[in-house]
Amino acid sequence: MSKKKKPENLPNQSVDENNLTPWQKANRKYLAEHGKEEKEATKKADNEVQPDEQEADAEPATEKDVPEHEHDAPSEDETEQTKAGGPYNGSFLNRLPNLKNQRNKVLYRRLALIITILGIPLIFLIYYVSPYSKLQAVTVSGNENVAAQTVITDTKLTMGTNIWKQYWHKADYINNLKEEQPRIENAQISFKTLNTFTLKVKEYKEIALVTKNGQYYPVMENGTVLSEKVANPTKNLPILDGFTNNEKIKSLTKEYNKLSAELQKAISEIKYTPSDTNKNLLRLNMNDGNQVIVNIQNLASQMKYYAQVAKDMDEKGVIDMEVGIFSYPYSESSAEAEQTSGTNSMETTTEQTNGSSVSTEPSSEETVPSESEQTGNTSGDTSETDQNDDNSSSSSSISTEN
């Protein structure tokens, strides 16, 4: 069993106790206690070795045969203490480097905290006064009929001012754009780069053109009629005729938006033709040559049957959806018009005949006309009758068209 090597440079015992420093006194006390523990451990080891002396004699090698350098080999405790970087005496000197490192870490943390607290406001201050906090440009997307520069101007965004102040009040700028541009349905403002905006707009669709005083004006899908004049209505949009009330136009557009895209394209003209009993009556001229009579409030619900009804028709005509749904060709409507005009002409002739009979009764004082004069009068009466018949037929055809 290897014994611990005692320190060679022990303090001189003859030194005056009064001249010792506190550290030397503590070290001497520690060594005295440590020496007693070593003596007790040595005695216990000797007592344990005596019963085993016979076995030790039988072994080829003894402690005497062990080289001296093996006795001098450091123990595990000594090795660990050496690795720790402190002396083997076990004093508090081995803890001084650790305390120093801990103190340095605490100082570094406090320094980092102070730098962070002071640095963040400084960074914000530098950013606030720099050009990166000012709005430099705005990019517009989604516009088709309104120019990009007009959109930027109508939002009233200001270049060169604080970008964050304008971003947090972006709803106000979008409302400004909607008020100035009735074509704009909605808009979104977002960051493109650190100091530029992206303005994405969505426009209302044009669904029709309305005629007023011989001019064409676009109608939006929300029922708004723009004040912009359309010189040449070349777009494939239906023409609204006879509408003088904007409320009727909004009611029409609400129902028109419910139609399928095919039906919307199939309508070429929408005429507002109110009657004494129905103030919401419409007459639709279709691109395939048919006409449809329908109410405004039933436009979407009734027109979904148009394709089926038009397919069953043998020739072009009128599809009446005012009350129910029935159709008849144009030939029947023209025959009814002719029949109506013929009835009117017969009534006119009867009235003329009765008037001539009354007026041609000779009095006692009048002379009887000659045969030639009678013939002339007869022919004159016949021509007048024919002229009246023509006038009556023309008036009946106009009323039928109306």
Side-chain angles (χ1 to χ4, degrees):
M1 181 177 179
S2 61
K3 297 180 180 180
K4 294 182 179 179
K5 185 179 179 180
K6 296 181 180 180
E8 296 177 356
N9 299 327
L10 294 175
N12 191 359
Q13 300 292 336
S14 61
V15 180
D16 188 4
E17 295 291 339
N18 296 327
N19 295 330
L20 294 177
T21 61
W23 179 84
Q24 289 176 341
K25 291 179 181 180
N27 190 18
R28 181 172 291 182
K29 184 178 179 180
Y30 172 79
L31 292 176
E33 293 176 358
H34 190 66
K36 291 178 180 180
E37 292 177 358
E38 285 185 353
K39 288 178 181 180
E40 292 177 359
T42 304
K43 289 179 181 181
K44 290 181 181 180
D46 292 340
N47 293 332
E48 292 176 358
V49 171
Q50 286 179 0
D52 298 335
E53 286 181 354
Q54 295 179 356
E55 294 179 2
D57 294 339
E59 293 179 358
T62 60
E63 290 183 1
K64 296 180 180 180
D65 298 331
V66 177
E68 293 181 357
H69 63 84
E70 292 184 3
H71 289 288
D72 298 336
S75 63
E76 294 180 359
D77 296 337
E78 294 175 356
T79 305
E80 292 177 359
Q81 199 73 357
T82 305
K83 289 181 179 178
Y88 177 64
N89 56 13
S91 65
F92 64 89
L93 291 175
N94 59 347
R95 292 178 293 175
L96 290 177
N98 294 332
L99 292 173
K100 188 176 180 179
N101 291 334
Q102 290 178 0
R103 289 177 181 176
N104 291 337
K105 289 181 180 178
V106 172
L107 290 175
Y108 292 150
R109 289 175 183 173
R110 291 178 180 175
L111 182 62
L113 180 61
I114 293 172
I115 293 174
T116 303
I117 294 174
L118 297 177
I120 292 176
L122 182 62
I123 292 172
F124 275 104
L125 180 61
I126 295 173
Y127 171 73
Y128 185 79
V129 299
S130 67
Y132 292 101
S133 64
K134 307 297 188 297
L135 181 61
Q136 299 296 329
V138 178
T139 303
V140 181
S141 62
N143 57 314
E144 296 180 359
N145 298 302
V146 184
Q149 187 59 42
T150 305
V151 172
I152 297 173
T153 304
D154 292 339
T155 55
K156 299 180 182 178
L157 290 169
T158 308
M159 302 298 171
T161 58
N162 188 268
I163 190 172
W164 288 101
K165 183 178 180 181
Q166 298 185 78
Y167 180 77
W168 297 127
H169 295 85
K170 58 183 179 181
D172 297 335
Y173 297 103
I174 292 174
N175 291 332
N176 293 337
L177 177 61
K178 290 181 180 180
E179 291 176 0
E180 296 293 333
Q181 290 294 332
R183 285 182 177 271
I184 302 299
E185 179 181 1
N186 199 0
Q188 293 180 351
I189 297 176
S190 59
F191 277 97
K192 182 180 181 181
T193 61
L194 192 61
N195 56 352
T196 59
F197 279 156
T198 294
L199 181 58
K200 186 176 182 181
V201 300
K202 181 182 179 183
E203 297 181 353
Y204 285 114
K205 294 188 299 182
E206 292 184 12
I207 62 171
L209 297 174
V210 62
T211 58
K212 291 181 179 181
N213 301 324
Q215 300 290 336
Y216 295 94
Y217 300 90
V219 180
M220 301 292 101
E221 59 182 333
N222 63 341
T224 303
V225 179
L226 302 183
S227 58
E228 306 172 4
K229 295 181 181 179
V230 180
N232 297 317
T234 57
K235 298 180 180 180
N236 188 17
L237 297 176
I239 306 298
L240 306 184
D241 188 15
F243 289 89
T244 57
N245 189 353
N246 290 333
E247 294 298 327
K248 295 294 181 182
I249 296 177
K250 289 183 178 181
S251 300
L252 173 62
T253 54
K254 184 178 180 180
E255 293 293 322
Y256 182 83
N257 291 329
K258 298 178 183 179
L259 298 176
S260 63
E262 296 179 355
L263 284 175
Q264 290 179 357
K265 294 179 180 179
I267 301 173
S268 62
E269 187 179 12
I270 301 176
K271 290 185 177 182
Y272 179 57
T273 56
S275 62
D276 296 336
T277 58
N278 191 349
K279 300 297 182 181
N280 296 317
L281 198 60
L282 299 176
R283 184 181 292 271
L284 311 182
N285 292 328
M286 311 300 290
N287 290 324
D288 57 3
N290 293 323
Q291 282 188 357
V292 179
I293 301 173
V294 65
N295 295 322
I296 295 177
Q297 63 271 18
N298 297 332
L299 180 64
S301 59
Q302 298 283 66
M303 283 297 292
K304 62 183 180 181
Y305 303 107
Y306 172 77
Q308 181 179 356
V309 175
K311 183 179 179 181
D312 296 336
M313 294 176 64
D314 295 332
E315 56 180 307
K316 304 301 179 184
V318 179
I319 301 174
D320 195 337
M321 297 182 179
E322 182 179 0
V323 180
I325 299 177
F326 62 93
S327 62
Y328 51 89
Y330 289 125
S331 58
E332 292 183 4
S333 60
S334 61
E336 292 178 358
E338 291 178 358
Q339 184 178 1
T340 304
S341 63
T343 304
N344 293 334
S345 63
M346 290 177 63
E347 292 176 355
T348 305
T349 305
T350 304
E351 292 176 356
Q352 290 177 351
T353 305
N354 293 334
S356 61
S357 61
V358 172
S359 61
T360 53
E361 288 182 357
S363 61
S364 58
E365 297 178 357
E366 292 180 353
T367 57
V368 178
S370 62
E371 293 181 359
S372 59
E373 291 178 354
Q374 290 179 358
T375 304
N377 293 332
T378 304
S379 60
D381 294 336
T382 305
S383 61
E384 290 178 359
T385 302
D386 295 337
Q387 186 176 0
N388 291 332
D389 291 339
D390 293 337
N391 293 333
S392 63
S393 61
S394 62
S395 62
S396 62
S397 62
I398 293 172
S399 63
T400 303
E401 290 179 358
N402 295 330

